[in-house]
Amino acid sequence: RYVDSAFVIMFTLELLIRVTLEKLYFFRDYANWFDMFLVLVGLVDMATSTLMEQGESVLQRLIRALKAFRSFRMIRSFRLFKGLRILARACQCFLSSLFWSMVMLVIFMMMGALLMGNLVQGYLEDSDVDSVDKEWVWMHYGTAYNAFYTFFEITLSGSWPAKVRPLLLKVSQGLFVFFALYITIIVFAVIRVIGAIFLRDTLDAAQNDAEHLVAERLKKKAQDVAKLEQVFRDIDESEDGI
């Protein structure tokens, strides 16, 4: 606890120094607001630990859980390493593609789940079916939630043989047509197209990173030239260039 308190004090001093030096510019960066939140949580934890020596309240456990977010500060160090910086920017670039890809996949999974759930209802209502087989079908396709989760596994985990073959053997071989189309179009084709889009976004991020570095170097060079010109102007009091 004493080591943790020492780190909280160090972070607080660092934050105060940065606020003093950067002034209003400090509050323009969202990462600085996150640092302020972490420091505040650490100070509250120190105060509650001092006031409540005996036992551990729910508030203390909640605060200590929030302190685990301090590990996210490591993400800010990614900009110091080219490889990590490119990966971080690539992840940031494909977030939009990831969102819309998941929307499309969820729609396909819901359609498949609803269709398959309706197709197996007759099998589940048949009193002559073995109870063990009926229980397996019910657990995987009997309800909308079970069917959707099964299609989630089929689509994203690659476990479709274990989810499809027992259904073909227990219910009907005619379901092969549906699953053949679903696995070929969604699991094989669509997933690979989404992977190609992510790869394109990653390459774009790497290209933009290189262009950004070149632009930063040109900007720094222009600033250095401007400073040198100002120095020469200050030296040349007579303004005759000698």
Side-chain angles (χ1 to χ4, degrees):
R1 192 176 69 177
Y2 295 107
V3 175
D4 186 70
S5 299
F7 276 108
V8 171
I9 295 173
M10 291 172 58
F11 290 146
T12 304
L13 293 176
E14 177 201 5
L15 187 68
L16 293 175
I17 293 172
R18 289 168 59 192
V19 171
T20 303
L21 295 177
E22 299 179 15
K23 295 183 173 56
L24 294 178
Y25 292 99
F26 176 85
F27 300 98
R28 296 182 181 180
D29 190 349
Y30 292 111
N32 294 335
W33 285 94
F34 182 68
D35 290 343
M36 291 176 61
F37 169 75
L38 294 177
V39 170
L40 180 61
V41 169
L43 293 174
V44 172
D45 181 51
M46 285 180 56
T48 54
S49 299
T50 304
L51 296 176
M52 305 174 64
E53 293 290 343
Q54 300 295 331
E56 187 179 54
S57 65
V58 177
L59 177 61
Q60 285 180 298
R61 288 195 290 268
L62 176 62
I63 292 174
R64 290 179 181 175
L66 291 174
K67 287 170 64 177
F69 284 103
R70 287 187 298 188
S71 58
F72 285 98
R73 295 189 64 183
M74 297 178 60
I75 297 177
R76 299 178 63 181
S77 64
F78 285 4
R79 64 179 184 272
L80 302 177
F81 306 95
K82 181 179 179 180
L84 292 177
R85 183 175 64 250
I86 293 175
L87 288 175
R89 289 196 176 183
C91 292
Q92 183 180 2
C93 290
F94 70 60
L95 286 178
S96 176
S97 300
L98 174 63
F99 173 77
W100 291 113
S101 299
M102 289 307 302
V103 169
M104 182 178 65
L105 289 177
V106 166
I107 292 174
F108 284 130
M109 287 186 283
M110 290 179 62
M111 292 171 57
L114 292 175
L115 178 60
M116 192 54 54
N118 288 320
L119 291 177
V120 300
Q121 287 303 312
Y123 177 84
L124 295 174
E125 294 172 358
D126 190 352
S127 58
D128 297 331
V129 175
D130 182 73
S131 59
V132 176
D133 294 342
K134 185 182 293 187
E135 181 180 2
W136 187 94
V137 175
W138 170 263
M139 290 296 298
H140 290 82
Y141 300 96
T143 64
Y145 171 77
N146 290 345
F148 177 78
Y149 184 74
T150 300
F151 271 85
F152 182 85
E153 291 182 321
I154 291 174
T155 306
L156 299 177
S157 71
S159 63
W160 61 266
K163 308 297 181 182
V164 174
R165 182 176 294 275
L167 189 67
L168 299 180
L169 297 176
K170 299 175 189 297
V171 181
S172 173
Q173 294 289 335
L175 298 176
F176 169 78
V177 177
F178 168 79
F179 280 111
L181 292 174
Y182 184 88
I183 292 169
T184 302
I185 297 174
I186 307 302
V187 180
F188 180 76
V190 174
I191 294 296
R192 281 160 177 76
V193 170
I194 293 173
I197 293 174
F198 288 169
L199 178 59
R200 184 202 64 185
D201 292 340
T202 303
L203 296 176
D204 290 343
Q207 181 66 26
N208 293 335
D209 182 74
E211 294 176 354
H212 177 73
L213 290 178
V214 172
E216 286 293 327
R217 290 174 182 173
L218 292 175
K219 182 179 178 181
K220 188 176 184 303
K221 181 179 179 180
Q223 292 175 348
D224 293 339
V225 170
K227 290 179 181 179
L228 288 174
E229 290 178 350
Q230 184 62 40
V231 170
F232 285 120
R233 290 194 190 98
D234 295 339
I235 296 174
D236 187 14
E237 298 178 354
S238 61
E239 297 184 358
D240 57 2
I242 300 176

